[in-house]
Amino acid sequence: MARTDPGASDTKVSSAPKTSKASKTSKDDLASLAGLEAGLDALETRTAERVSLGSVLLSKLVPPLVAVVLVITVWQLAAASDLKPDYVLPGPLDVWRSIQDMWLDGTLLGYIWTSVSRGALGFVVAVAIGTPLGLLVARVKVVRAAIGPILSGLQSLPSVAWVPAAIIWFGLTDATIYAVVLLGAVPSIANGLVAGVDQIPPLYLRAGRTIGATGINGIRHVLLPAALPGYLAGLKQGWAFSWRSLMAAELIASSPDLGTGLGQLMENFRTYSDMSGVLATIILILIVGIGIDLLFFSPLERRVLRSRGLLVRS
C-alpha cells in the first residue's frame, strides 16, 4: 500500500485558502477600480451637460431683477409715506422723468461718454505705469523696501484728497482730472501685481530659468501668466479706483472748459437743488460701473479661470 506523505497533504490543504483569498482580493480591487471609473465617467458626463437657457436666466438674471424690484418698492413706499418732502426724497418715477428728459434733450449719452472716455484713458495710462512699477517692486528687494509701504499708503488714501492739490498744480484743466485718476489707480494695479507675483510657486520660476526663460521672456512667458489671477484682481480694483477718482475730480473741479461729465452734472443738479437729477446721476454712475465690470472684467476673469481648470464651460 502506497504511503501518503503527510507534509505534502498539509501543503495542498493550506495552499487552497491562500488562492481563494488572493482571488477575493483581486475581485475587490477590480470592483473598486470599476466603481472609480464609473464615478469619473459620471463626473465627466455631468460637467459636459449643457445648461438650458431657461436655467441660466433663472440663476443669473432673476435674482438681481428681484433685488432691484425690492429696492424700488421700498423706495416708492418711503416716498409715498411722506417721510421727507418731495424735493428731498423724490419717488422713482420722478427720477425716471429726469433721465427721460436728458435722453429726449440728446444730452444723456454725451454726459456718459465724457466720463467713460476719461475713465478709460486714465485707466489705460494707469495700467501702463502700474504694471512695470509692480514688477519692479515685486522682483527687486531694495525697491520693495523703499516703495512698497508708500504704495500701500497711497492705496488707502482717499482719491478726493488729491483734488485740491491737483487743482493748484494744474488748474482747472483735464490734467487735474487725469492726475487724480492716476494717483488713485496706479497703486492698486501695482499692489495687485505684487500680490500675484508673491503667490507664484518658486518651482515655476526655477523651471522657467531652466528652459532659458529669463529677462523679458521670463516676465512674458512665466511671471505674468503665473501672476495673472492677482494681477487681474488688481486691474479690477484699479478700474474701481479710477472711476471713483474720476467722479471726485469731476465733482470738485467743475468748469465749462472741461465739459460736462457725470460728476459735474451731479454738482449742477445739486446747485439747482434738483434732487431728482442728483439721484438720476447717481444711478447712471452706478449703471456705468456695473456695466464695465460685466462687459469687460467678468468675461476676462471667467476666461482665466477656465484656462486654469477652475471653471467648467457649460
Side-chain angles (χ1 to χ4, degrees):
M1 180 182 294
R3 298 180 59 185
T4 304
D5 189 0
S9 176
D10 293 342
T11 303
K12 290 180 181 179
V13 172
S14 61
S15 63
K18 290 182 179 180
T19 304
S20 176
K21 185 177 181 181
S23 176
K24 184 178 180 181
T25 303
S26 178
K27 290 181 180 180
D28 291 342
D29 292 339
L30 290 175
S32 299
L33 291 175
L36 178 60
E37 184 177 0
L40 292 175
D41 290 341
L43 181 60
E44 291 177 359
T45 303
R46 182 174 299 176
T47 56
E49 290 178 354
R50 290 188 175 275
V51 181
S52 64
L53 180 60
S55 300
V56 174
L57 293 177
L58 187 62
S59 61
K60 300 294 184 181
L61 189 60
V62 173
L65 286 179
V66 171
V68 171
V69 170
L70 288 176
V71 171
I72 293 177
T73 302
V74 173
W75 179 9
Q76 179 60 41
L77 291 175
S81 62
D82 293 332
L83 294 177
K84 294 288 185 179
D86 293 341
Y87 62 87
V88 176
L89 182 60
L93 291 178
D94 296 327
V95 175
W96 171 251
R97 291 190 193 98
S98 295
I99 297 177
Q100 188 177 23
D101 291 341
M102 287 186 286
W103 173 261
L104 294 177
D105 292 341
T107 57
L108 179 62
L109 295 181
Y111 298 145
I112 295 175
W113 172 249
T114 299
S115 293
V116 170
S117 59
R118 285 172 174 170
L121 179 58
F123 177 71
V124 169
V125 177
V127 171
I129 296 175
T131 300
L133 180 61
L135 289 173
L136 191 64
V137 173
R139 301 301 296 167
V140 181
K141 294 182 178 179
V142 176
V143 176
R144 171 175 287 200
I147 302 180
I150 298 177
L151 285 178
S152 299
L154 289 175
Q155 186 176 357
S156 62
L157 181 68
S159 303
V160 69
W162 290 109
V163 178
I167 292 176
I168 294 174
W169 291 335
F170 305 107
L172 294 177
T173 62
D174 287 333
T176 294
I177 295 176
Y178 289 120
V180 175
V181 171
L182 291 178
L183 289 169
V186 169
S188 298
I189 295 172
N191 283 330
L193 183 53
V194 171
V197 172
D198 289 343
Q199 294 172 4
I200 299 176
L203 181 62
Y204 290 2
L205 303 178
R206 289 198 296 268
R209 288 192 295 267
T210 301
I211 62 176
T214 58
I216 300 298
N217 289 329
I219 293 174
R220 178 183 176 186
H221 297 290
V222 179
L223 198 64
L224 284 179
L228 194 55
Y231 183 40
L232 181 58
L235 290 178
K236 290 182 66 174
Q237 191 174 31
W239 165 252
F241 274 76
S242 296
W243 191 239
R244 291 165 53 184
S245 302
L246 176 63
M247 292 301 105
E250 288 184 348
L251 187 65
I252 298 176
S254 59
S255 171
D257 297 334
L258 294 176
T260 304
L262 293 174
Q264 186 171 355
L265 178 65
M266 183 164 54
E267 175 62 17
N268 292 340
F269 281 128
R270 198 274 312 166
T271 301
Y272 294 110
S273 299
D274 187 350
M275 192 61 186
S276 297
V278 171
L279 292 178
T281 309
I282 292 174
I283 292 174
L284 291 175
I285 294 171
L286 180 64
I287 290 175
V288 171
I290 295 174
I292 294 295
D293 181 73
L294 293 178
L295 293 175
F296 182 73
F297 289 106
S298 292
L300 183 60
E301 186 176 19
R302 287 196 298 269
R303 183 176 179 180
V304 171
L305 292 176
R306 286 195 189 103
S307 67
R308 294 169 181 263
L310 299 176
L311 186 65
V312 178
R313 184 187 298 275
S314 58

